[in-house]
Amino acid sequence: MTSAADTARAVRAGERRATDVLDEALAAIEARDAELHAFNLVTADAARAAAEAVDRAVAAGNDPGPLAGVPVALKDNLCTRGIPTTCSSRILDGWRPPYDATVVARLAAAGAVAVGKTNLDEFAMGSSTENSAFGPTRNPLDPTKVPGGSSGGSAAAVAAGYVPLSLGSDTGGSIRQPAALCGVVGVKPTYGRVSRLGLVAFASSLDQIGPFARTVEDAALLLEVISGHDPGDSTSIPESAPALRQHLADGVAGLRVGLVREFLGDGIAPDVRARVHQAAEALAAAGASVTEVSVPAAAYGLSAYYVIAPAEASSNLARYDGVRFGLRVDASTTPEMYELTRTQGFGDEVKRRIMLGTYALSAGYYDAYYGTAQRVRTLILRDFEAAYREVDLLLSPTSPTTAFAFGDKTADPMAMYMNDVCTIPSNLSGHPAVSVPFGVGDDGMPVGVQVLAPALDEVTMFRAAAVLEAAAPAAGPASGGGAG
Amino acid sequence: MSEVLPDGWEMVIGLEVHAELLTETKLFSGSPAHFGGEPNTNIDPVTLGLPGALPVLNRQAVELAIRAGLALNCTVQRSVFARKNYFYPDMPKGYQISQYELPINVDGWLELPDGRRVGIERAHLEEDTGKSTHMGSGGGRIHDAEYSLVDFNRAGVPLLEIVSRPDMGSSEDAKDYVAELRSILVAVGASDGKMEEGSLRVDANVSVRRVGDELGTRCEIKNVNSLRSLGRAIDYEAQRQVDLIEAGERVVQETRHWNDDTGRTQTLRSKEEATDYRYFPEPDLVEVDPGPTWIEAVRAALPPLPAARRHRLVDEAGASTRSAAVVVERGLDELVLAAVAAGAEGARAVTRAEHDLADDRARALDPAHFAKLIRMEGAGQLTATQAKAVLAEMVEDPSRSPADIAAAKGFEAMDHGELEQLVDGLIAAHPEDWTKYCAGEDKVAGFFTGQVMKATQGKADGKAVNALLRARRG
Amino acid sequence: MPAMPERLTRDDVAQVARLARLRLDDTELDRFTAQLADILAHATDMAALDLAGVAPTAHPYPLGNVLRDDAVVAGLERDEVLAAAPVAESGQFRVPPVIGEAP
């Protein structure tokens, strides 16, 4: 399949029409999405109008932008003006935002063609997309298996070949983990790198928007387009978008890479572990020096995260009350209206996290839970920074296992939360991380390896990602096999 | 000490005042902060708490908060915003962005006109809510409403919440505190301080105790919309609490609503437990640390504040504390000080300003004219009655000089030199009467005075004439 | 470091549900209590860490003084906003009787 970079080149050069590119994408979606349900909504008419505008610009000799004519899918927690944005929740069913998220506007300005809104775990809470109020998304490589979550729809849309690019959001691993399970590239940028304005908030100090792509170069291209300071987001860092692509081929010679001990514990499946070691060998073969390092506090990441994220979420989701927008279940008093609306409008996982968060913030428990968790967060940050004084990059699995079957982990919330053990700590620290497909597991399903970098150092991170992409094994068992 | 309560009892009052800040736009978004017009015409995604909206802090709100904080003698410090979580339909996000553990201003004080100080615990920034109107048969009261309508025009307007220490012991103190606070906020341009219009909102915390005892349980009183209501509400509530305790009952800590019509406070429908606001630092905003450069720039640009102006009147015009308070409250201190600088007697200037210039228009008086008037009175060119009359006309038309007015009213301010000339002329014209006077016949002074009065049509000052005659006699 | 609280009880969950404006039936109350208690029990592993003198991190990236000029920016049109309202009347959002004053 054609990469986004090549499509944009062809469209800008007048070799391909954006409307033709769009038609292919829509046909691919039409052919398979009844089965996969990657999309909540396909916006064919709006997409066509955008594609036609790109073609007109090219015909007029104007530059339509670096993503000219590239079809892109948007996670359905990104506000799109006049187009339903549901967060896969009943409570927002049918709500049309009166404005675009900043990233949506930047994509449009770059000539990209948004084709629809993708499915997610409700309000981005989950690791399998089974928590969607509108039904799950299926893994394109094996429809009996989950695509991961919460950005399952966006991962599947790229993995299924519908579109070369999609946007997701990552609060505890919600881009990287589905990227790993679906065999595509997924990036969580440095916190503050990409504006959160228009991203429906889950946990404000952890949420970041990032790209899914089939290639590292495409991911870099999309990240360049959406990055950069936004005065409308007070947590947006001052830096403008980094020039990622120009260093992609620089290689890793002389770089020091650390395998994170805390992310290679007993909970990691042997086939995944084997692939990570293979990846380490590939980096070493390319001239990096690979050692083992420790980020001790990272072992407590899950605990800290499942206090902090629900706490912020419990507050962020208080606005869903039936007063101004979205679902309202009528009642004879407003307090009752709140209760009925929220009880009927939210699914179980959302309710669980709201209650957990409310408890962690409540009088008498704040210090023990929220206060403690934010201090553990400081330790995690310090331990990462200490590790980055010894090495330039870190390496780990993205997900402890390959994609699991539907219903495998829904009985016990803790079992589901364990999926994010390797990804959560870098949300807490704000550091960037990428999942790169690297072979398959014993079940033939994709394995992703995670490269982590210091704050703001996406450039170095992408260099390693490019090396891993080039060295990635073809299909075949990891353990007991030898190279490839 | 209050006169209101029975012997042996005292009341303890703390005040929480919310002042709307005079910014162009709201605290966290670019919608106008002041507006007229139809409901929900002053809204944006942040104001409405729409999904995906994010707050961005208004620089001018911080500037005004610093100004007010410095004017209240606070320490201005690094501060952090916090979420105060609760559900109410005019609170669109389900939380209010306020400041909790680290407010921008702490540990200040305000000086009452009588010189006593009231401590100020903190003054912090927070956003205002929208407005609910309760509809149906109940005449606007919540309890009988059939439904409510919500307007978000006001949601997000910047507020400064100023919390006093419980340093006040009477409703008079409380009223003086609010009046002084309002003057300060108006003087620095932070707020227009209009209680009746809602840009200054006062909640009173009132408790009572027998003198010497520990602090009693306090009640919070809301819905006070004027200084007069504040005084009445505090006095009523303090007495209510005393009556309860003397009847052997306990004061329940609660929020009570002042009813101006009935003159009583009443319990709002009570909640089972105190609200747990679950404060935590606002993750969508970063800390504000103004730093010494900004703070000192604001301090340097502060206008003269009421307390300093009062002190200046005392020091430079010899005013009493009480008189200084009145004169400054009227905005006439500059006028008085200008008169003093021009050589007029301070005490006289203060007296005129305090007793004869109650009219608002007095602020428009020309300082030079005022100074001249005071000097004219001081020099005996005008009697007290005449001076007041001239002053009254100066207020009507500040462009007229006191000399012109005096002349028009026939209070001709005779030049002393002119008077001398006139007297000398009369002496020369009436040598035999002069000889008699010089020989000791004091009664003859009356003849000369009469002549002077005839010549000046009664405008000369008799006392001055007599003094001149005696001087000439030697 | 503050001691970790006792295991979460059914009453705690009922109280928290009320605070969060959620209504749970008995079955849900039991199920959620067990699940939430497990999660919180897991979080008690943080008690093993020495957090003396460690300041909390509210933001992963140190930023300060992000301020906006006090200039008017065009807002939203009332019609568009009220069109999304569940119930609107006279240009306002209509809700059932509110019952209490704001807390």
Side-chain angles (χ1 to χ4, degrees):
Chain A
M1 287 173 216
T2 321
S3 71
D6 286 342
T7 300
R9 265 191 286 274
V11 169
R12 289 168 94 172
E15 293 161 18
R16 293 207 66 197
R17 292 166 54 83
T19 45
D20 292 335
V21 175
L22 174 63
D23 285 341
E24 281 174 20
L26 292 175
I29 295 168
E30 170 89 28
R32 208 172 167 205
D33 212 43
E35 178 200 10
L36 293 182
H37 184 214
F39 284 92
N40 284 342
L41 178 69
V42 177
T43 51
D45 292 342
R48 187 159 309 279
E52 285 168 358
V54 169
D55 288 334
R56 277 198 301 275
V58 172
N62 300 324
D63 181 2
L67 284 178
V70 177
V72 181
L74 303 171
K75 186 174 183 181
D76 202 12
N77 62 356
L78 290 167
C79 286
T80 41
R81 183 168 185 176
I83 293 170
T85 300
T86 69
C87 302
S88 288
S89 176
R90 265 189 279 275
I91 218 168
L92 275 180
D93 198 2
W95 178 61
R96 292 168 191 264
Y99 64 102
D100 279 327
T102 296
V103 295
V104 171
R106 287 184 180 176
L107 278 181
V113 175
V115 302
K117 310 299 291 295
T118 59
N119 197 17
L120 59 151
D121 281 297
E122 187 181 2
F123 282 108
M125 299 181 191
S127 308
S128 65
T129 313
E130 290 171 286
N131 293 329
S132 167
F134 307 136
T137 296
R138 300 184 173 282
N139 191 315
L141 296 137
D142 180 345
T144 67
K145 300 204 167 147
V146 302
S150 62
S151 313
S154 281
V158 171
Y162 299 160
V163 291
L165 296 176
S166 67
L167 284 183
S169 68
D170 190 313
T171 305
S174 289
I175 290 175
R176 293 161 286 162
Q177 185 256 16
L181 269 52
C182 290
V184 296
V185 178
V187 184
K188 182 198 84 68
T190 306
Y191 182 86
R193 172 74 82 189
V194 177
S195 168
R196 292 185 298 116
L197 184 57
L199 170 67
V200 179
F202 158 16
S204 315
S205 75
L206 302 168
D207 293 342
Q208 268 294 280
I209 300 167
F212 287 98
R214 283 189 294 267
T215 68
V216 169
E217 184 191 13
D218 276 359
L221 172 55
L222 181 46
L223 187 53
E224 281 178 11
V225 168
I226 60 174
S227 300
H229 179 65
D230 181 359
D233 173 359
S234 301
T235 61
S236 165
I237 61 180
E239 277 75 3
S240 44
L244 295 168
R245 285 172 294 155
Q246 68 193 57
H247 295 286
L248 272 183
D250 284 4
V252 295
L255 290 181
R256 302 159 302 163
V257 177
L259 276 164
V260 181
R261 180 179 308 140
E262 286 74 18
F263 296 159
L264 285 164
D266 293 336
I268 308 299
D271 54 352
V272 170
R273 186 199 305 278
R275 290 300 185 195
V276 173
H277 285 297
Q278 249 189 313
E281 283 157 23
L283 290 173
S289 64
V290 183
T291 54
E292 194 186 69
V293 298
S294 181
V295 184
Y300 298 90
L302 209 62
S303 298
Y305 176 84
Y306 278 102
V307 169
I308 294 169
E312 293 182 7
S314 70
S315 180
N316 283 329
L317 269 61
R319 68 192 66 203
Y320 303 105
D321 59 10
V323 174
R324 289 147 289 128
F325 55 85
L327 177 73
R328 175 190 293 198
V329 178
D330 232 327
S332 52
T333 67
T334 284
E336 207 187 342
M337 189 241 330
Y338 287 155
E339 267 188 16
L340 293 178
T341 299
R342 290 165 64 79
T343 303
Q344 287 183 40
F346 288 140
D348 277 0
E349 184 61 30
V350 171
K351 286 178 183 162
R352 249 190 302 274
R353 297 200 195 193
I354 288 175
M355 289 191 288
L356 196 49
T358 305
Y359 183 74
L361 290 173
S362 57
Y365 297 117
Y366 179 98
D367 285 336
Y369 287 115
Y370 191 77
T372 299
Q374 291 286 47
R375 287 177 166 80
V376 170
R377 188 174 186 175
T378 303
L379 289 187
I380 292 172
L381 189 50
R382 279 191 202 166
D383 285 354
F384 268 119
E385 286 170 351
Y388 286 126
R389 285 194 283 276
E390 292 175 42
V391 296
D392 303 302
L393 296 170
L394 297 172
L395 186 68
S396 81
T398 303
S399 167
T401 66
T402 55
F404 44 92
F406 287 103
D408 256 9
K409 302 197 189 213
T410 48
D412 176 14
M414 279 306 311
M416 187 66 83
Y417 297 164
M418 290 296 180
N419 282 300
D420 297 324
V421 97
C422 301
T423 47
I424 275 172
S426 45
N427 293 92
L428 290 166
S429 69
H431 293 143
V434 57
S435 181
V436 182
F438 202 82
V440 297
D442 292 344
D443 56 4
M445 290 298 283
V447 172
V449 298
Q450 179 177 230
V451 179
L452 306 94
L456 301 177
D457 200 5
E458 284 88 341
V459 169
T460 307
M461 186 180 82
F462 269 91
R463 286 166 55 188
V467 168
L468 290 174
E469 177 178 56
S479 33
Chain B
M1 187 76 74
S2 165
E3 306 301 321
V4 165
L5 297 179
D7 264 353
W9 284 97
E10 60 186 13
M11 64 174 89
V12 177
I13 303 157
L15 295 178
E16 282 171 26
V17 175
H18 288 83
E20 279 182 18
L21 293 177
L22 284 172
T23 53
E24 286 297 314
T25 62
K26 295 186 174 182
L27 188 55
F28 297 119
S29 70
S31 287
H34 306 279
F35 46 85
E38 292 295 296
N40 292 305
T41 52
N42 189 35
I43 53 178
D44 59 73
V46 172
T47 294
L48 290 174
L50 294 185
L54 290 175
V56 185
L57 181 59
N58 183 335
R59 177 180 296 111
Q60 184 65 5
V62 177
E63 166 86 19
L64 294 180
I66 296 174
R67 266 193 228 171
L70 291 175
L72 293 171
N73 305 289
C74 294
T75 303
V76 178
Q77 60 179 15
R78 176 185 150 255
S79 66
V80 162
F81 285 92
R83 292 191 184 179
K84 180 179 182 182
N85 297 281
Y86 66 93
F87 285 91
Y88 203 75
D90 62 19
M91 175 59 69
K93 297 185 291 299
Y95 59 86
Q96 177 193 31
I97 303 179
S98 177
Q99 296 189 308
Y100 184 57
E101 285 181 348
L102 278 177
I104 185 168
N105 296 309
V106 288
D107 293 339
W109 46 268
L110 168 162
E111 189 182 289
L112 297 178
D114 69 9
R116 284 178 301 138
R117 287 186 184 181
V118 175
I120 292 185
E121 204 170 279
R122 51 191 284 149
H124 69 254
L125 283 165
E126 62 183 29
E127 55 176 352
D128 206 348
T129 65
K131 274 201 187 135
S132 317
T133 312
H134 307 297
M135 310 291 289
S137 47
R141 290 195 307 277
I142 281 185
H143 306 309
D144 307 317
E146 288 166 21
Y147 63 96
S148 300
L149 295 178
V150 191
D151 169 19
F152 292 102
N153 279 352
R154 195 186 69 178
V157 167
L159 298 177
L160 191 67
E161 177 175 340
I162 302 151
V163 181
S164 82
R165 297 198 195 281
D167 288 349
M168 291 165 275
S170 70
S171 56
E172 285 308 308
D173 282 354
K175 291 194 291 185
D176 285 346
Y177 172 90
V178 173
E180 182 72 6
L181 181 58
R182 177 170 57 196
S183 300
I184 292 171
L185 293 173
V186 170
V188 301
S191 178
D192 62 16
K194 297 185 175 157
M195 266 181 97
E196 286 80 353
E197 288 176 21
S199 61
L200 196 75
R201 304 169 212 165
V202 181
D203 297 329
N205 286 302
V206 180
S207 68
V208 297
R209 62 181 169 190
R210 289 196 175 85
V211 177
D213 273 4
E214 299 268 296
L215 277 177
T217 305
R218 64 168 199 252
C219 290
E220 184 184 24
I221 305 173
K222 287 182 166 308
N223 196 44
V224 164
N225 298 320
S226 68
L227 283 184
R228 182 165 174 272
S229 297
L230 178 64
R232 293 174 66 213
I234 289 171
D235 286 340
Y236 171 86
E237 177 61 20
Q239 188 63 57
R240 183 192 76 88
Q241 292 185 13
V242 166
D243 290 345
L244 266 181
I245 298 170
E246 289 195 326
E249 293 176 44
R250 275 180 50 250
V251 173
V252 173
Q253 180 170 353
E254 59 182 352
T255 300
R256 297 176 68 86
H257 185 99
W258 169 249
N259 185 323
D260 217 39
D261 299 324
T262 62
R264 294 144 72 122
T265 61
Q266 52 208 62
T267 315
L268 298 180
R269 185 170 304 198
S270 59
K271 297 169 271 279
E272 292 99 57
E273 69 272 326
T275 310
D276 178 6
Y277 292 116
R278 305 184 297 287
Y279 284 100
F280 69 101
E282 168 59 80
D284 288 331
L285 292 169
V286 297
E287 68 173 36
V288 180
D289 196 359
T293 311
W294 189 354
I295 295 170
E296 293 317 309
V298 175
R299 196 194 304 276
L302 286 177
L305 296 173
R309 289 161 63 194
R310 290 192 294 266
H311 287 301
R312 224 183 132 197
L313 269 186
V314 167
D315 294 341
E316 292 178 32
S320 69
T321 308
R322 238 190 51 104
S323 300
V326 174
V327 173
V328 167
E329 209 257 305
R330 295 217 185 119
L332 300 177
D333 44 314
E334 290 294 313
L335 201 65
V336 167
L337 291 170
V340 170
E345 226 187 289
R348 195 182 305 281
V350 170
T351 302
R352 288 286 155 254
E354 181 183 359
H355 295 292
D356 304 312
L357 287 178
D359 194 318
D360 269 347
R361 294 172 296 168
R363 271 183 231 136
L365 282 173
D366 182 312
H369 289 163
F370 182 72
K372 173 80 171 156
L373 172 76
I374 301 299
R375 289 205 330 269
M376 285 168 70
E377 188 189 345
Q381 290 161 358
L382 292 172
T383 64
T385 315
Q386 290 170 338
K388 289 189 218 199
V390 171
L391 197 50
E393 292 209 10
M394 282 165 67
V395 171
E396 292 293 327
D397 183 354
S399 66
R400 298 176 68 205
S401 78
D404 289 345
I405 296 172
K409 293 179 89 65
F411 300 160
E412 193 102 29
M414 266 204 101
D415 200 62
H416 203 262
E418 270 181 59
L419 191 63
E420 281 182 42
Q421 265 189 316
L422 185 59
V423 167
D424 288 340
L426 286 167
I427 292 172
H430 301 278
E432 294 127 358
D433 296 279
W434 182 244
T435 313
K436 282 190 200 162
Y437 179 70
C438 289
E441 289 187 37
D442 287 336
K443 278 202 309 217
V444 185
F447 166 71
F448 282 104
T449 312
Q451 291 297 310
V452 169
M453 287 306 179
K454 216 160 80 171
T456 64
Q457 290 156 335
K459 287 170 199 163
D461 182 357
K463 289 211 289 278
V465 174
N466 274 310
L468 266 175
L469 291 172
R470 283 198 295 276
R472 287 290 182 267
R473 183 167 65 181
Chain C
M1 213 212 78
M4 283 309 212
E6 305 279 319
R7 190 169 168 90
L8 187 74
T9 67
R10 207 171 180 274
D11 282 347
D12 291 330
V13 177
Q15 159 70 346
V16 148
R18 261 197 303 276
L19 278 177
R21 302 298 186 268
L22 295 171
R23 191 177 280 192
L24 305 178
D25 64 36
D26 283 337
T27 321
E28 287 170 316
L29 199 45
D30 288 334
R31 178 162 46 91
F32 283 138
T33 301
Q35 290 171 337
L36 293 175
D38 282 346
I39 297 164
L40 286 167
H42 186 278
T44 59
D45 68 356
M46 293 193 281
L49 291 167
D50 179 8
L51 296 172
V54 177
T57 294
H59 286 109
Y61 193 92
L63 283 172
N65 295 335
V66 174
L67 302 169
R68 153 183 77 81
D69 287 343
D70 189 22
V72 174
V73 171
L76 293 173
E77 288 301 318
R78 178 168 78 179
D79 289 345
E80 189 176 6
V81 168
L82 287 182
V87 185
E89 179 183 299
S90 318
Q92 301 192 61
F93 297 86
R94 179 178 161 143
V95 296
V98 174
I99 301 302
E101 299 270 348

